[in-house]
Amino acid sequence: MKTLIRRMQSQKGTIAFSNIPLETATVRIGRGTEQDVEIADPRIALAHAEITPMPDGTFRLDAKTPSGVWVNGTPCSARALQVNDILDFGRFRITVMKPEAGSDLTLLVEERADAVEEKPAEIAATRLEETWLSRRRPAWVAFIVVLLAMLLLPLVLRYAGSKDPATQMKMAALPLVPTQTAWNSGPLSSAHAYFETDCAACHVQPFKQVRNNACLACHDAVRHHVPDAAMAALPDFSAAACTDCHREHNGPDGTIVRLASLCTDCHENLQARFPDSTMGKVGDFATHHPPFSPVLTQFDKATRSFKAEPVVQEHGVALREDNGLVFPHNLHLDTKGIDAPDGKRKLECSSCHEPDRGAVGFRAVSMERHCADCHRLEFDPDDPTRVVPHGKPAEVAAVLRDHFAAKALDRQQVKTLGSALPAAPERRRPGPPRTPAEREFIAQWSATQGDAVVREVFEGRLCRYCHVVEPTNDPKLPWDIAPVALQEHALSAAAFTHAPHADTACVDCHAARTSKLSSDVLLPDIGNCRACHGDVGGKKQVTSTCLDCHSYHVDQGVLWDPGATRRKTLGAQRHPKLITPRGAS
Amino acid sequence: METPAHVGFLRHHRYRYLKIGLILCALSLLLYAIHDPIDGPNGGTWLGYGLGSIGAGLILVLSWLGIRKRRYRGGLGQVKGWLSAHVYLGLALVIVGTLHTGFQFGWNVHTLAYVLMLVVITSGVYGIWAYAALPERITALRRGQTRDAMLAEMAELNRQSIAVAQALSSDIHRAIARSIGRVRIGGGVIAQLFGPAEPARQDFDDLNRTLNVRADTLLAGQRAESEAESTVMFIAGQIVKRSGRDEDEAAHIRQLLDILGRRKELVSRINQDIQLHARMQIWLYLHVPLTLALLAALLTHVISVFLYW
């Protein structure tokens, strides 16, 4: 179709027409620049309407927007066009003219001066920027509030306020007051919970990591890893920081890191650093841990004393130690019971091995408390209440001799002894002294009788029952008892406590029921422990760390820092209640 | 190779920053998995300090977008590249930041910084969705018109409706005038986000019903004979004046109904447009202020951690 577009423009008061001939299939009207009739009005869609020729020679208008096209003051979406129809497109008006010569359709496009761009007079906000919402102001407010509450105020309270720890702690306890507790990276261990609000107790210098001195101010009794000062001075030990192993702010469970690698780092191959070391290599507990080396006693006959030395306890090798006693565990633990003065008595381990008060170890077995009930020290069947003193061989002989001397003085008793000694006068009248014959008789009888009983006591039925009795050349005390050494704790490098094992039967670990000799070492070997205890990460056993048995700090030896005591007074000034010993003020 | 005319910020530079972000995440996760510090993972190990430094650096770079995008004179790279990096590195920051914490949380400034970071990133994730999904819907909705054009058209419809109503009874004129006053466009934050309050629609429906009833009454008598008459005739306002005043009035009412229908559709579109725009923008009112709060918390975190080292 051929279309003539007549554009009417007013310029500086004069009206100008421009004719634009088009030859297109349709006439497209819209704001887009590719449109046949371009309408520069923002209210108009890019493609707003389209005029299509109909087969009957008329033209049809189709609106391309849902709001339609205003034709003769009425909106419509499609209609047949007629001459003189007025199409309104915003401030532009298109009039359908009588077709001029050479064209099928003539459109007059004019810009109406009177049609100003209308905007609704009162319209609410249509953009978020027009509401109360803002980005910049809240941003600054948030920035300043956070900075003030979290950084500046705590800083001021910390460094410009009271330096007194008590005051600072009181302040930290106040709700909603921004203090340095906001910086606490995690709860302290329960041991240090008291200092939770006194950061400076440990963080002494700003921007410096916590130093050993801060710890040693209180922990002045801490010992080194090695027993002697020369070793402790080696950089391996002197450069160690408390915080290498003791990590804080990790919750109440404690500051002690129980990681095996902290120990095995060195102990896996200690000889690499200390070639002279005789310590075994330790990589883990389950497979790379040397056998136990219990300290066992050996009796040295020459010096008549015990020597205690560690002996490697290889698996399956029975160890012996000297203790100077004769004690078969198997007899005492006979499940049928053993003879006692009041009949059969069934003994348990705990009959003799009583846990100590702390339930850590056991009270020493004592003759008086545990043995004497059955093993009575009587020596005279006529007088079963008389016993020899235990543990004092010299006194034993004296007591026996005195006993029989006294007995000899009592004629009645001498008679009842039924001795083959020479007959004594029937009765002695009171008053006159004993005759020489009488005195001779008494001395002889008591000496003979006494010596016989002393021999019997030492060599026969009493002492030798449990002790090693050795003859001496001393006529006054012809026998002596071999020294006794009762072992208490054989594993010097490890701290074993029985308490966690209380629910296990003693005989599960200690082969007491089959032990016939008192020299049997009943300490179980490491294989016994490994039956239940395994390394961290194992799933079928009790996970056990190095620290379950060992301690990094040696029991005895050099203090970590001999100057710590001096610093303790500084610590005492800071927290007098905590550090001053009880009773001191 | 054909270069597309427009590449969105998500696909910028063939996903360069997505790749960088993924590599960063993978590296962080790998190191975190093999790293076994003596007191458990935390921000104070060498990996903790490393992740913390990267995280803090990222936060600064990401925040710089707010400044860079306002520097029209340019700077390092295109703003689109910055936005692409902002999106992907911001997402990677979730991994880096979380691993930096070692999953140790508490009521302190450190966790505050972490939570702020997560909220900022979460709002940013919404922003990614909004910027990726909503512009298309806005374009489809506007059909080439601008918001101002739609508003102007609405004003025109209002003017027209008043003009047509003048020819009808004063009741109708009053009702139309009132309905114009009650058209709800936009409004407060809630109205913009969720559409204007209900009463306006109620009003419109009431008015619509009244007019329909009136038109039906008027046309009841002649409906039978005008069955053949097409609705298009009514729409075009070409009712032939055959039966006097009633038909005339009915035609005007039809015209009015038509205008009101168009206006209703237009108002609904404008409000949808406002709603889509509001939903595309709203997250920034959280994202930007909380970013500043995060910067303050981050500064405090870093200072306090090293002050009490």
Side-chain angles (χ1 to χ4, degrees):
Chain A
M1 63 187 265
K2 288 179 177 169
T3 316
L4 183 71
I5 311 289
R6 301 200 71 193
R7 274 191 176 265
M8 189 171 83
Q9 286 165 315
S10 62
Q11 280 178 338
K12 292 174 186 172
T14 59
I15 292 174
F17 283 95
S18 56
N19 289 341
I20 306 153
L22 285 175
E23 181 140 15
T24 50
T26 60
V27 176
R28 296 167 303 159
I29 304 166
R31 186 159 47 82
T33 49
E34 85 286 4
Q35 299 289 311
D36 302 317
V37 182
E38 197 185 324
I39 305 289
D41 188 293
R43 286 165 285 190
I44 299 309
L46 287 172
H48 199 93
E50 196 170 63
I51 298 172
T52 325
M54 302 301 286
D56 59 356
T58 60
F59 295 92
R60 180 185 161 87
L61 177 79
D62 285 295
K64 294 283 172 191
T65 68
S67 50
V69 181
W70 290 89
V71 181
N72 302 331
T74 311
C76 67
S77 54
R79 65 165 279 165
L81 281 184
Q82 289 168 358
V83 172
N84 291 331
D85 274 350
I86 293 169
L87 286 55
D88 280 318
F89 294 89
R91 64 177 196 277
F92 290 87
R93 169 167 288 178
I94 295 178
T95 314
V96 182
M97 308 292 282
K98 227 166 130 183
E100 288 192 13
S103 72
D104 305 323
L105 179 68
T106 301
L107 299 173
L108 174 68
V109 182
E110 56 183 321
E111 189 174 350
R112 289 187 300 155
D114 59 326
V116 286
E117 276 189 48
E118 283 181 81
K119 258 197 173 179
E122 281 180 41
I123 201 152
T126 57
R127 290 165 217 279
L128 288 177
E129 298 98 283
E130 294 160 13
T131 64
W132 55 267
L133 279 182
S134 156
R135 293 203 287 255
R136 191 164 291 226
R137 199 180 308 127
W140 284 113
V141 168
F143 184 81
I144 289 164
V145 163
V146 171
L147 206 64
L148 213 60
M150 292 293 169
L151 182 63
L152 296 178
L153 280 178
L155 267 182
V156 167
L157 289 176
R158 165 72 181 85
Y159 288 103
S162 167
K163 295 278 192 298
D164 175 34
T167 315
Q168 295 229 347
M169 288 161 92
K170 263 184 220 157
M171 222 146 49
L174 294 174
L176 298 176
V177 174
T179 63
Q180 50 186 344
T181 49
W183 303 340
N184 191 346
S185 66
L188 288 181
S189 61
S190 52
H192 293 150
Y194 179 82
F195 303 105
E196 186 107 29
T197 48
D198 182 17
C199 309
C202 303
H203 300 276
V204 180
Q205 277 182 291
F207 299 105
K208 288 255 167 73
Q209 282 171 306
V210 173
R211 301 294 157 96
N212 290 355
N213 290 353
C215 311
L216 294 165
C218 295
H219 300 273
D220 61 339
V222 166
R223 289 176 193 278
H224 239 294
H225 185 48
V226 284
D228 66 280
M231 277 193 90
L234 294 173
D236 302 73
F237 308 110
S238 63
C242 302
T243 52
D244 288 348
C245 303
H246 301 278
R247 313 289 296 178
E248 252 304 354
H249 294 282
N250 283 330
D253 286 348
T255 59
I256 301 167
V257 172
R258 311 184 78 84
L259 203 67
S261 64
L262 278 176
C263 305
T264 56
D265 274 357
C266 291
H267 284 271
E268 197 158 26
N269 188 8
L270 201 62
Q271 282 69 21
R273 175 69 188 87
F274 300 100
D276 299 337
S277 170
T278 55
M279 293 184 81
K281 295 181 176 183
V282 189
D284 56 32
F285 178 71
T287 47
H288 299 96
H289 190 290
F292 295 157
S293 297
V295 176
L296 301 181
T297 48
Q298 303 297 328
F299 186 63
D300 184 9
K301 282 187 177 156
T303 57
R304 288 183 57 74
S305 62
F306 289 98
K307 276 196 302 185
E309 271 177 2
V311 178
V312 175
Q313 186 182 29
E314 296 294 354
H315 182 63
V317 177
L319 294 182
R320 301 250 185 276
E321 70 170 340
D322 298 330
N323 51 30
L325 281 178
V326 178
F327 182 84
H329 271 95
N330 62 336
L331 287 185
H332 286 84
L333 288 171
D334 191 335
T335 47
K336 287 186 230 104
I338 54 172
D339 291 327
D342 48 358
K344 287 276 183 188
R345 189 184 291 180
K346 194 166 172 288
L347 294 183
E348 303 290 343
C349 301
S350 57
S351 304
C352 299
H353 299 286
E354 300 172 289
D356 64 11
R357 278 166 188 268
V360 172
F362 293 90
R363 298 168 72 182
V365 174
S366 120
M367 160 70 187
E368 286 73 18
R369 277 188 288 126
H370 302 116
C371 313
D373 223 20
C374 299
H375 296 277
R376 295 187 172 174
L377 299 181
E378 322 157 355
F379 55 89
D380 186 349
D382 294 337
D383 190 357
T385 58
R386 292 299 303 269
V387 293
V388 290
H390 182 249
K392 297 156 185 157
E395 279 181 35
V396 168
V399 163
L400 290 172
R401 287 190 177 113
D402 287 354
H403 175 79
F404 286 101
K407 207 167 177 180
L409 289 171
D410 186 335
R411 202 170 35 220
Q412 193 58 39
Q413 283 198 21
V414 173
K415 188 182 177 187
T416 56
L417 282 171
S419 164
L421 289 166
E426 282 293 305
R427 185 177 298 158
R428 188 174 69 83
R429 260 187 242 83
R434 291 177 196 278
T435 64
E438 275 179 337
R439 283 203 289 273
E440 174 65 19
F441 166 76
I442 289 168
Q444 198 186 349
W445 184 88
S446 64
T448 317
Q449 196 67 14
D451 282 352
V453 177
V454 168
R455 176 183 295 275
E456 192 191 337
V457 164
F458 278 101
E459 284 197 333
R461 57 192 173 86
L462 287 190
C463 302
R464 234 177 61 140
Y465 212 80
C466 305
H467 290 280
V468 178
V469 180
E470 297 164 322
T472 66
N473 296 324
D474 183 359
K476 286 201 165 175
L477 183 67
W479 301 276
D480 198 5
I481 307 289
V484 171
L486 285 179
Q487 181 64 273
E488 275 199 35
H489 192 81
L491 297 174
S492 60
F496 177 87
T497 60
H498 279 89
H501 300 85
D503 293 333
T504 313
C506 309
V507 293
D508 286 354
C509 299
H510 303 281
R513 284 202 196 281
T514 55
S515 163
K516 293 176 184 162
L517 299 170
S518 66
S519 59
D520 287 341
V521 172
L522 298 185
L523 181 86
D525 68 11
I526 191 169
N528 185 76
C529 302
R530 283 172 176 158
C532 297
H533 291 271
D535 290 310
V536 175
K539 293 204 169 75
K540 292 181 177 167
Q541 287 174 305
V542 181
T543 55
S544 309
T545 66
C546 304
L547 293 185
D548 286 334
C549 299
H550 302 282
S551 167
Y552 175 84
H553 302 280
V554 292
D555 288 342
Q556 277 153 5
V558 282
L559 288 172
W560 191 286
D561 180 6
T565 329
R566 179 178 47 78
R567 272 189 289 278
K568 188 163 185 174
T569 54
L570 300 176
Q573 287 166 13
R574 191 165 187 90
H575 290 288
K577 272 188 207 158
L578 274 190
I579 290 169
T580 314
R582 225 180 301 164
S585 56
Chain B
M1 202 186 92
E2 199 180 329
T3 315
H6 172 74
V7 175
F9 64 90
L10 291 177
R11 296 198 292 137
H12 177 77
H13 221 294
R14 291 196 221 154
Y15 296 105
R16 171 193 280 180
Y17 292 104
L18 172 64
K19 288 172 193 162
I20 293 176
L22 283 176
I23 289 169
L24 184 60
C25 288
L27 265 179
S28 305
L29 285 167
L30 181 73
L31 286 174
Y32 188 86
I34 58 175
H35 182 48
D36 186 19
I38 58 168
D39 53 344
N42 65 78
T45 65
W46 64 263
L47 182 64
Y49 284 134
L51 290 172
S53 308
I54 293 172
L58 280 179
I59 288 174
L60 293 181
V61 170
L62 298 173
S63 311
W64 192 256
L65 175 74
I67 293 167
R68 171 63 186 84
K69 71 172 186 177
R70 287 177 175 80
R71 292 202 168 167
Y72 303 108
R73 275 185 301 165
L76 188 68
Q78 287 174 270
V79 171
K80 193 165 76 179
W82 274 80
L83 182 60
S84 188
H86 188 87
V87 164
Y88 289 118
L89 298 182
L91 289 172
L93 184 60
V94 176
I95 303 286
V96 172
T98 304
L99 296 183
H100 169 65
T101 67
F103 299 94
Q104 289 183 324
F105 305 111
W107 295 102
N108 51 41
V109 70
H110 319 293
T111 299
L112 174 71
Y114 176 71
V115 170
L116 285 172
M117 184 194 87
L118 286 190
V119 176
V120 168
I121 293 175
T122 309
S123 63
V125 168
Y126 172 85
I128 298 170
W129 171 81
Y131 277 21
L134 297 184
E136 250 176 56
R137 284 169 62 183
I138 290 172
T139 309
L141 184 77
R142 283 190 167 180
R143 299 184 190 115
Q145 271 182 299
T146 63
R147 168 90 58 81
D148 284 342
M150 289 195 284
L151 288 173
E153 190 182 327
M154 190 190 75
E156 179 70 17
L157 286 171
N158 282 341
R159 195 182 57 73
Q160 294 275 346
S161 65
I162 280 287
V164 175
Q166 264 169 353
L168 294 166
S169 73
S170 59
D171 282 353
I172 290 176
H173 185 262
R174 207 163 36 247
I176 292 294
R178 197 167 59 234
S179 93
I180 288 173
R182 288 188 182 170
V183 166
R184 291 279 182 280
I185 299 284
V189 178
I190 302 295
Q192 288 195 29
L193 281 173
F194 302 103
E198 203 55 27
R201 292 175 195 167
Q202 187 84 40
D203 258 20
F204 177 83
D205 292 341
D206 286 349
L207 177 62
N208 221 15
R209 207 175 303 113
T210 316
L211 288 173
N212 269 315
V213 169
R214 177 81 180 130
D216 287 348
T217 322
L218 290 170
L219 292 174
Q222 69 143 165
R223 174 153 298 155
E225 30 189 299
S226 66
E227 203 61 57
E229 211 96 29
S230 75
T231 323
V232 178
M233 296 286 278
F234 279 105
I235 294 165
Q238 293 293 305
I239 294 178
V240 183
K241 294 183 180 177
R242 284 184 308 195
S243 4
R245 271 193 76 241
D246 278 1
E247 281 81 24
D248 212 19
E249 193 187 343
H252 275 109
I253 288 176
R254 276 284 167 214
Q255 205 176 0
L256 201 52
L257 278 171
D258 199 37
I259 292 170
L260 289 177
R262 282 165 196 279
R263 192 187 68 186
K264 186 192 179 191
E265 191 269 346
L266 187 65
V267 167
S268 154
R269 269 200 305 136
I270 293 172
N271 276 327
Q272 278 183 60
D273 185 55
I274 290 171
Q275 199 175 352
L276 289 174
H277 271 93
R279 290 185 175 185
M280 203 164 71
Q281 302 289 332
I282 186 67
W283 62 281
L284 278 168
Y285 292 89
L286 200 64
H287 195 73
V288 173
L290 287 188
T291 296
L292 267 283
L294 167 61
L295 287 174
L298 180 70
L299 184 68
T300 310
H301 164 65
V302 172
I303 290 178
S304 67
V305 157
F306 289 108
L307 183 74
Y308 281 163
W309 205 352

